[in-house]
Amino acid sequence: NAGVTQTPKFQVLKTGQSMTLQCAQDMNHNSMYWYRQDPGMGLRLIYYSASEGTTDKGEVPNGYNVSRLNKREFSLRLESAAPSQTSVYFCASSDTGFYGYTFGSGTRLTVV
Amino acid sequence: QQPVQSPQAVILREGEDAVINCSSSKALYSVHWYRQKHGEAPVFLMILLKGGEQKGHDKISASFNEKKQQSSLYLTASQLSYSGTYFCGTRIVFGNEKLTFGTGTRLTIIP
């Protein structure tokens, strides 16, 4: 049982480059999320998807776009990377109701 | 708005007890607790729903006071394996699954 799989695990980008972070879950969860984690700031929600075909902005959506490709996959795109987007990115999924989140192992992104 | 966690950090010896608090300025529907070890993903510990219930998980338990919009996590007779950063996540609306996380409490257990 893989749970939530994120790729890549590490990435270095130059300012202005674009990239897509991939996330897939095999638990048949309806909801999926992208968070970023910065020192001292906890986990902040970038975007989430309550179900296939729907996406909504979280607390810090500027500079990002998302796609809920199907029930399993939820990708995060940085169109023009900036040093302020240097962070650890976590994808998570959850079932509807009173269940906890399952997190992926994270992507450590550095923008230089 | 992020919930406020206190303390920000705590150091304990094995066998000592700890309490971590999580306070919100908004009315809460539920509170989650997670533990994250260094370099790893957060791991779900438990969820508490409004109604003031208390839950247990081995020697880790939690309470939720919806009137005060607060939750507390209790770690009893701490073990080395309890070290990590603890996050509360709050949900204010039933049916909307998104969580807002606190800034975390770093717990260090020393032998």
Side-chain angles (χ1 to χ4, degrees):
Chain A
N1 221 3
V4 179
T5 303
Q6 283 184 242
T7 56
K9 292 192 184 302
F10 302 94
Q11 184 72 47
V12 178
L13 288 179
K14 293 183 177 178
T15 298
Q17 286 185 319
S18 62
M19 80 161 295
T20 300
L21 280 64
Q22 306 286 353
C23 176
Q25 53 94 5
D26 62 1
M27 296 170 286
N28 203 36
H29 286 168
N30 286 315
S31 300
M32 298 186 73
Y33 317 85
W34 278 104
Y35 285 87
R36 61 177 288 174
Q37 186 172 36
D38 303 293
M41 304 196 70
L43 294 145
R44 292 182 294 166
L45 183 64
I46 305 171
Y47 272 94
Y48 69 102
S49 171
S51 62
E52 183 180 351
T54 67
T55 60
D56 282 292
K57 295 179 181 179
E59 305 165 57
V60 289
N62 291 343
Y64 306 95
N65 284 301
V66 290
S67 296
R68 182 78 182 265
L69 304 169
N70 47 55
K71 193 170 186 178
R72 290 188 64 248
E73 298 172 288
F74 189 38
S75 62
L76 178 71
R77 183 160 178 85
L78 289 70
E79 290 292 350
S80 179
S84 60
Q85 294 178 305
T86 294
S87 189
V88 180
Y89 291 85
F90 285 101
C91 177
S93 69
S94 71
D95 213 341
T96 306
F98 312 124
Y99 302 97
Y101 285 12
T102 300
F103 283 87
S105 57
T107 296
R108 186 173 294 274
L109 176 67
T110 302
V111 183
V112 298
Chain B
Q1 201 164 1
Q2 281 185 296
V4 176
Q5 286 187 234
S6 62
Q8 290 185 322
V10 59
I11 300 174
L12 297 176
R13 293 196 177 275
E14 262 187 301
E16 292 183 334
D17 301 340
V19 180
I20 299 171
N21 299 302
C22 174
S23 296
S24 173
S25 59
K26 297 184 177 182
L28 300 176
Y29 181 78
S30 65
V31 179
H32 290 214
W33 285 97
Y34 293 79
R35 176 170 62 209
Q36 184 180 31
K37 293 192 177 283
H38 183 69
E40 298 181 8
V43 174
F44 173 68
L45 294 176
M46 66 187 77
I47 180 173
L48 299 104
L49 306 176
K50 69 176 185 177
E53 69 174 279
Q54 185 155 350
K55 296 189 76 171
H57 188 278
D58 194 8
K59 292 183 180 176
I60 300 175
S61 62
S63 62
F64 177 24
N65 186 323
E66 64 188 85
K67 289 183 180 178
K68 292 186 177 180
Q69 296 157 197
Q70 291 177 348
S71 177
S72 296
L73 185 72
Y74 308 95
L75 298 101
T76 306
S78 56
Q79 307 167 16
L80 292 174
S81 62
Y82 288 1
S83 290
T85 301
Y86 289 78
F87 293 96
C88 66
T90 56
R91 179 176 291 163
I92 61 173
V93 178
F94 173 71
N96 187 326
E97 307 296 325
K98 68 174 184 176
L99 292 177
T100 302
F101 285 92
T103 54
T105 296
R106 177 175 287 183
L107 176 66
T108 304
I109 310 296
I110 56 177

